Amino acid sequence: MEQLLNTLYVMTQGAYVRLDHETLKVEVEGSTQVQVPLHHLGGIICLGNVLISPGVIHACADDGRFIVMLDHVGRFKARVVGPTTGNVLLRRAQHKALDDSQKTLAIARNLVAGKIRNARTIVLRGAREAEEKEDEAGLRETANRLACSLSHLERSTAIEEVRGIEGEAARTYFSSFARLIRADRAAFTPKGRTRRPPRDRINALLSFLYALVLTDCLAAAEGVGLDPQVGYLHTLRPGRPALALDLMEEFRTVLADRVALTLVNRRQITPDHFEERPGGSVYLNDSGRREVAVAYQKRKQETVTHPLLERAEPLGMMPHIQARLLARTLRGDLPEYPPFTYR
Amino acid sequence: MEDEDYTIAGFEPVFLSALEHYSYCPRQCALIHVEQTFDENIYTLRGRAVHQRVHEVDSFSEEGVRVEHSLALWSNRLGLVGQADLVEFHEGVPYPVEYKYGKYRERDIEHAAVQLGGQAICLEEMTGIAVPKGAVYCHNSHRRYEITITSELRSKVQAITAAVRAMLLAGELPPPANDKRCRNCSLNAVCMPSAIGDGSKARSLVAGLFRL
Ligand code: SF4
């Protein structure tokens, strides 16, 4: 937790990841393409057809480094975990809080407040940078509506209400997302929010980024000994990492949306980075995914001041810090869950 | 850990290492032994690698002194369990040596002494031979500090063992010390002493969340 270790993304199809003493080697067609000391890595994410040796798997499991396997479009498939460790008392507290409607409400409400504030920050920034008067006005209007949601949230008394406000705020925010896009609008205007599968370029871009953020939030939850399936804002459903999704809410705009907008507005991502499949689903292609993963890694290295710690830390550390603060709240060490917000 | 380790004399066993942690800061002890929040960065991993070498179970003799590495220790009387990095037997009299890695500061020896005192009590119970002395060895300065196992140290061991046990049973985390101990504490990043504080910072941050 002291330092943000790099994540190694292995995206070359047919690559073989193996261990040579303490050094990780990525080989493609028999020749070494990448060589990194294992201790520089926090974990490894493999996309698609990537082979990984038992030596690497054992070493990572021993030291608590994560290995995550995604399919070729970035959908989560599997992860390698070592023996169950950590704090059973914490996991008990996690379950107990779920049975306590006041605790559930308090956590969910603060999570959503963090999410709405961060969404509002991005919208206001867009308004300042807007080139058209109409966009600026539209974005300011959205910011006002998000401010309204925030004050409704303060008065909410039930979890269903919190979920309703969250949904409404998300629709408001997303409906003006197109106004945040300044380059090649014709190619990048979203047709609403489409997820499974994404049906336009912006949604393809966001889906891929959200998969990366979710992976980091999962690792953060696991890292502090929380059960990633037991969440508060997201209802429990077998197979759903509800807590990782909860944690992710504060980070969607900060870690994913901002990266997507920067890539598009700086024309680092162009329509050439996408492919359309028969029937209308749209995905990033190989070079597109590479571009996005690099930008995402860079974004994680930017430092911001944490609102509670009052200390500059890389953005990539924030999910870990938040997971720890949530664990602390559940264990009664903190009176309230303080979400991550940024200016 | 085998099952029987959990039922020594019918009470919750206390790890010898927990004595030093508690003596330094009760919260540090709880973070490690209750919350199990270890933060292994590369330095502690490296420390562990050195440690593993000391911890390879073996024994050898030189010049009449028999040396045991990684000797399992226990005391049924106090309900202590653990391991000694090294125990020398000087003409049959046990002399425990506790290894410390990293930047170990002389003023922290008093806390290591509690752990050493616990080891001495275990060795006495195990061998039936009085253990008058032991040592703390600092790996980076190659210095050995000899510790006399006084009756004060023995009562301190007993009191701290009881306090640790109570804490383990309650399963609670004491509030942060938030004083000069925190500066050199390896768990600072996990503990977040000033951010947690008495909770008032988090409270006001949350109160401000809904206002723009
Ligand atoms: S940081 Fe301070 S309060 Fe926290 S465990 Fe260390 S010494 Fe104790």
Side-chain angles (χ1 to χ4, degrees), chain A residues 38 88 92 335:
Chain A
L38 193 60
V88 65
R92 286 270 298 146

Side-chain angles (χ1 to χ4, degrees), chain A residues 230-266:
Chain A
V230 178
Y232 303 99
L233 179 64
H234 289 82
T235 47
L236 305 196
R237 196 164 296 164
R240 171 193 275 180
L243 188 80
L245 290 165
D246 281 4
L247 270 178
M248 187 179 160
E249 292 299 348
E250 300 158 49
F251 296 105
R252 279 180 195 270
T253 55
V254 194
L255 281 175
D257 300 5
R258 269 287 300 276
V259 171
L261 289 167
T262 307
L263 283 169
V264 171
N265 288 341
R266 291 195 187 144

Side-chain angles (χ1 to χ4, degrees), chain B residues 24-29 31 175-179 181-183 185-189 191-193:
Chain B
Y24 186 79
C25 168
R27 182 173 167 94
Q28 187 193 69
C29 183
L31 283 169
N178 214 352
D179 60 22
R181 279 174 280 182
C182 301
R183 235 175 300 144
C185 176
S186 59
L187 291 185
N188 194 304
C191 173
M192 305 191 261

Side-chain angles (χ1 to χ4, degrees), chain A residues 1-3 39 63 86-87 110 117 120 147 150 154 307 309-310 324 328 331 333 335-339, chain B residues 27 31 35-36 39 41-42 48 171 173 190-192 195-196 199 201-203 205-206 208-212:
Chain A
M1 167 131 168
E2 254 111 309
Q3 50 182 324
H39 70 256
D63 296 347
N87 187 354
N110 294 2
R117 281 189 85 101
R120 193 170 166 275
L150 209 52
E154 187 174 23
L309 266 51
E310 293 169 339
R324 176 139 287 143
R328 284 301 162 68
R331 291 282 287 133
D333 194 28
E336 290 249 30
Y337 172 68
Chain B
R27 182 173 167 94
L31 283 169
E35 299 291 318
Q36 302 224 307
D39 246 338
N41 56 33
I42 178 65
R48 195 173 64 184
L173 188 60
V190 196
C191 173
M192 305 191 261
I196 303 279
K201 257 194 190 178
R203 247 190 227 105
L205 191 115
V206 168
L209 263 186
F210 303 91
R211 318 253 148 74
L212 292 164

Side-chain angles (χ1 to χ4, degrees), chain B residues 64-82:
Chain B
V65 179
R66 193 159 54 85
V67 176
E68 295 282 344
H69 286 274
S70 295
L71 189 64
L73 302 180
W74 68 90
S75 157
N76 283 334
R77 188 170 65 81
L78 294 185
L80 285 169
V81 292

Side-chain angles (χ1 to χ4, degrees), chain A residues 314-331:
Chain A
L315 257 175
M317 279 308 294
M318 297 299 158
H320 297 268
I321 292 171
Q322 289 310 121
R324 176 139 287 143
L325 292 173
L326 183 61
R328 284 301 162 68
T329 310
L330 291 167
R331 291 282 287 133

